[in-house]
Amino acid sequence: MSVKKINHGFISNGYGAALISPTASIDWLALPRFDSPPIFCSLLDEGLDYSFKIDFGRGAKFSRRYLRGSMILETRVKTGSGAARIIDLMPQSESAFMRHIRSDVPFRVSIKPTFEYGLINPSFYLRDRGAIFADPTGKQAFEIKFKWSTKITSVGRGEWIFEGGSGYILMLYSNDIGYGLFSKKGHVYSIPTEAINSTMKYWESTRSCCSFNPPAWAKRAFEASILVLLGLMYRPSGAIISSPTTSLPEIVGLSRNWDYRYAWVRDASFAARALIRAGFIIKGREILNFLLSILDPSRKPFNHALYTVDGGPPPSEKTLDWLSGYQNSRPVRVGNAAHLQIQLDIEGEFMKALETYYDMTKDAEYLMNSWWAVEAIAKFTERNYTRPDAGIWEERDTQRHHTHSKVMMWSAMHSASKLALELGRAEQHRRWKAVAERIREYTLKNSWNDSVQSFVSSFDSNDVDASLLEMPLYGFIDVNDEKFRLTLKRIERELVSDYMVFRYRKDFLGNVRHPFGLANSWMSRVKLMQGEREEAIKYLSRLIGCSNDLGLLGEHIDVQTCEPRGNYPHIFTHIGIIEAVIDITNSEAN
């Protein structure tokens, strides 16, 4: 059996998501939400092959693209006797997936859905021009309808042969079969022949607000990164998840496998800032609104590091031991135990996003309406900046005084003091500015290590990590400060290989193997701040060069093959590309 490589297209409708292979196999489909048990999940166990396959025979050649900046994926097929065109989309506001197909040649379709990660084998009921896969233990169902201009022949459970022709395959998940395609309500769902046009109009409208024009060498990567961020947003709430997948391994065959289908406060704050800077003010504000909706002003503002897409606490982490994992990378995890951690950097990242929103819009009314949150964050930060935490890298069962966390707590107070000044709140401005300076002095004193002549990742450490690159990016320290320059040289010496940046060399699970996409963009932006524009472009170009033909990247990159590692596509890497491209472009203008 051939091993599936992660080189998929990503599509979403703001509710669920799909990953589609270069040969048009749907290997991941999560409905009705990003964090729902996936209907197709062959990436987590190829032996069980829960997927939608479409077979045009040996020798078929495939090419693909997104249509006009939308999340509509076109796949073109060439065979020895003809050609085919597949258009895949997920209609807005429905738990559905559509495939529009025009083919000169016959092809075979194999549809093998599952429920509850393979625990429930669906019952199968053949219907005229369709089928129902029903949960024998409950009411949920996955239903299929065909409309085809020529003959369709059923050749087995979930298997059909289509003669050459044109039409569509409509798939719908319903949590109650009584609302399905073959029910009395079946007529209310999207009309497939109109869905392409309506979906295209949605994406054209969504993207019309952005007038930012990236340079030609970065245009595809920038536009793909914007598309990924918009596609990862959960439209009902404004939450943004970190990735549509779970348990794609950081290192194949080992246990670095996590569930990223949740809204991390840190990642969401980064995303809001990137979208706002790119001109997507409304989308960035939607993310801020979600974060404000989960903010607790009576204690730690963000009680959890991550939340479900509807703002609830994330589920406890568990392993699905019956699944073999991607290329036998066990365990497969659902839920994420990071929600048990105390992470003290996340309020600072939120405050920076709020400050960016205000800087871009001067929306004093929004800021005034959010002032209760600013005060709560400032109060908590002042009281707690000397506490240890789990930090940005979420090392388990360990708390340290992480330098990055202290810098972000400084950033929280710094942003609060600036915003207070903007609103004419002089007393709060003076008080918070003084607290920010106290945190800065405390951090500079304790994070510098004379014995290794650098800032270090935590006060008790001799090591550096890539998060130290954020010190000048947030304005905590001048990029040309001698101590930072020494730290940067050490990072380049220890964490950089061929213009690819590792976040660190080892952690509680042992040595790491692959560079970290976001760290490349951090390095690029730092180099730009130092006036080394060509070096900045080299770091960013090296990262972009490992994206696939659709411009997509994972959290980590295998430098030998350029394959993505970790969950895919990942918000961090694409946020980094957006911000670095903006900085490089703006440096040209100046």
Side-chain angles (χ1 to χ4, degrees):
M1 180 176 58
S2 62
V3 173
K4 288 178 180 172
K5 293 185 177 180
I6 304 299
N7 184 22
H8 291 61
F10 163 61
I11 66 173
S12 162
N13 63 355
Y15 288 76
L19 295 183
I20 304 161
S21 79
T23 57
S25 171
I26 306 173
D27 294 328
W28 185 272
L29 177 63
L31 294 170
R33 299 194 338 179
F34 293 123
D35 56 355
S36 297
I39 302 298
F40 301 131
C41 57
S42 61
L43 293 177
L44 298 182
D45 193 320
E46 293 184 28
L48 297 176
D49 198 22
Y50 299 123
S51 64
F52 180 131
K53 290 182 178 177
I54 184 165
D55 184 6
F56 290 92
R58 290 185 179 180
K61 296 181 178 179
F62 297 81
S63 61
R64 60 187 177 172
R65 61 172 181 159
Y66 288 117
L67 294 181
R68 303 206 315 261
S70 73
M71 282 222 141
I72 301 175
L73 184 66
E74 176 193 68
T75 303
R76 290 189 176 268
V77 189
K78 290 185 178 181
T79 73
S81 54
R85 182 188 188 214
I86 305 167
I87 296 178
D88 288 328
L89 69 143
M90 298 176 71
Q92 302 305 305
S93 304
E94 289 183 5
S95 299
F97 190 104
M98 295 179 186
R99 309 203 91 161
H100 293 256
I101 306 171
R102 182 181 296 274
S103 180
D104 300 333
V105 298
F107 56 90
R108 186 184 185 103
V109 164
S110 172
I111 302 176
K112 296 181 180 179
T114 186
F115 298 121
E116 301 301 327
Y117 301 94
L119 276 183
I120 298 174
N121 185 32
S123 303
F124 177 72
Y125 305 98
L126 197 61
R127 293 290 184 264
D128 181 37
R129 298 274 171 158
I132 299 174
F133 294 89
D135 181 353
T137 70
K139 292 186 176 183
Q140 64 180 330
F142 186 67
E143 300 174 308
I144 302 161
K145 267 191 176 180
F146 308 128
K147 184 175 182 181
W148 195 247
S149 61
T150 58
K151 186 179 180 181
I152 306 172
T153 304
S154 174
V155 292
R157 177 187 169 99
E159 305 272 347
W160 293 268
I161 293 176
F162 287 64
E163 291 187 356
S166 63
Y168 61 76
I169 302 173
L170 170 62
M171 294 168 278
L172 177 81
Y173 169 85
S174 57
N175 59 13
D176 189 322
I177 196 170
Y179 300 113
L181 292 175
F182 298 96
S183 71
K184 292 179 180 179
K185 288 196 65 175
H187 65 281
V188 304
Y189 298 108
S190 292
I191 301 171
T193 53
E194 298 180 5
I196 294 177
N197 186 48
S198 62
T199 302
M200 186 65 72
K201 286 182 177 179
Y202 168 82
W203 283 105
E204 288 173 350
S205 176
T206 299
R207 299 198 61 158
S208 64
C209 61
C210 182
S211 58
F212 181 80
N213 187 28
W217 61 270
K219 186 176 180 65
R220 187 197 66 167
F222 182 85
E223 292 181 347
S225 295
I226 291 290
L227 199 61
V228 168
L229 264 62
L230 296 176
L232 292 176
M233 287 186 68
Y234 185 65
R235 287 178 58 199
S237 69
I240 186 166
I241 62 169
S242 295
S243 178
T245 60
T246 181
S247 298
L248 296 185
E250 293 179 18
I251 302 174
V252 172
L254 298 183
S255 62
R256 295 174 181 268
N257 319 315
W258 319 109
D259 190 352
Y260 284 175
R261 298 171 297 165
Y262 306 103
W264 264 257
V265 174
R266 178 187 305 107
D267 306 27
S269 300
F270 285 171
R273 185 166 184 263
L275 287 172
I276 291 165
R277 294 189 69 204
F280 291 87
I281 303 295
I282 301 302
K283 289 297 182 182
R285 191 172 66 194
E286 287 177 7
I287 298 172
L288 291 178
N289 287 342
F290 170 77
L291 293 173
L292 286 166
S293 76
I294 58 176
L295 196 150
D296 181 352
S298 66
R299 45 181 178 175
K300 187 179 189 302
F302 295 109
N303 298 332
H304 304 293
L306 62 149
Y307 294 80
T308 59
V309 292
D310 57 8
S316 299
E317 184 174 293
K318 63 180 180 180
T319 61
L320 309 183
D321 296 329
W322 59 91
L323 295 175
S324 65
Y326 177 79
Q327 294 191 36
N328 293 312
S329 302
R330 286 187 169 97
V332 173
R333 291 184 171 94
V334 172
N336 197 300
H339 79 280
L340 299 172
Q341 297 178 347
I342 300 297
Q343 297 180 14
L344 295 176
D345 63 306
I346 57 181
E347 285 80 13
E349 284 133 356
F350 166 79
M351 283 299 300
K352 187 63 175 180
L354 182 63
E355 178 192 341
T356 301
Y357 173 79
Y358 182 80
D359 287 345
M360 294 287 290
T361 65
K362 299 303 177 184
D363 187 350
E365 182 179 2
Y366 186 85
L367 185 57
M368 287 289 291
N369 286 337
S370 307
W371 201 248
W372 60 272
V374 175
E375 291 179 326
I377 288 173
K379 180 179 180 181
F380 174 83
T381 303
E382 181 178 2
R383 290 178 174 180
N384 291 278
Y385 72 87
T386 59
R387 290 182 58 180
D389 77 328
I392 186 173
W393 307 130
E394 300 181 340
E395 187 167 354
R396 298 192 171 193
D397 301 322
T398 300
Q399 289 198 340
R400 291 191 171 94
H401 291 282
H402 292 96
T403 300
H404 175 265
S405 295
K406 308 304 182 185
V407 171
M408 291 301 104
M409 297 184 88
W410 167 86
S411 181
M413 298 306 303
H414 181 68
S415 293
S417 67
K418 285 181 62 179
L419 293 173
L421 184 63
E422 290 287 338
L423 293 185
R425 295 172 178 258
E427 183 178 348
Q428 287 181 319
H429 164 67
R430 287 193 296 270
R431 174 176 172 78
W432 293 344
K433 183 178 180 181
V435 174
E437 185 56 31
R438 193 156 69 240
I439 297 173
R440 185 175 181 273
E441 291 175 358
Y442 167 78
T443 304
L444 288 172
K445 176 183 177 182
N446 289 285
S447 64
W448 175 258
N449 188 316
D450 270 325
S451 64
V452 294
Q453 285 292 288
S454 74
F455 292 113
V456 286
S457 58
S458 61
F459 294 177
D460 62 347
S461 172
N462 291 324
D463 299 325
V464 290
D465 69 60
S467 71
L468 297 172
L469 295 170
E470 289 218 284
M471 296 173 78
L473 295 180
Y474 276 75
F476 177 82
I477 196 169
D478 189 279
V479 74
N480 291 313
D481 179 275
E482 181 60 23
K483 288 185 175 180
F484 179 76
R485 291 180 72 90
L486 289 170
T487 304
L488 179 61
K489 287 180 180 179
R490 190 175 170 207
I491 290 173
E492 291 178 283
R493 184 171 63 250
E494 297 181 15
L495 300 182
V496 176
S497 176
D498 189 23
Y499 285 94
M500 296 297 282
V501 185
F502 292 77
R503 55 180 170 177
Y504 43 68
R505 283 297 181 179
K506 62 182 179 179
D507 62 12
F508 69 108
L509 288 174
N511 293 330
V512 300
R513 192 173 298 174
H514 303 302
F516 187 68
L518 178 60
N520 255 62
S521 63
W522 285 342
M523 180 66 81
S524 174
R525 295 170 66 199
V526 167
K527 288 294 182 181
L528 189 69
M529 291 178 73
Q530 292 185 324
E532 298 183 41
R533 187 171 182 278
E534 293 305 313
E535 283 291 287
I537 291 174
K538 284 181 181 178
Y539 274 102
L540 187 58
S541 296
R542 182 72 171 91
L543 174 63
I544 290 172
C546 276
S547 61
N548 69 4
D549 55 318
L550 296 172
L552 305 181
L553 287 155
E555 184 181 22
H556 303 265
I557 296 95
D558 187 321
V559 292
Q560 302 300 319
T561 65
C562 261
E563 288 180 59
R565 294 292 176 237
N567 286 302
Y568 169 93
H570 196 279
I571 194 174
F572 264 170
T573 307
H574 290 286
I575 288 168
I577 289 172
I578 292 167
E579 294 227 78
V581 169
I582 290 173
D583 285 356
I584 291 170
T585 305
N586 289 344
S587 74
E588 285 182 334
N590 297 330

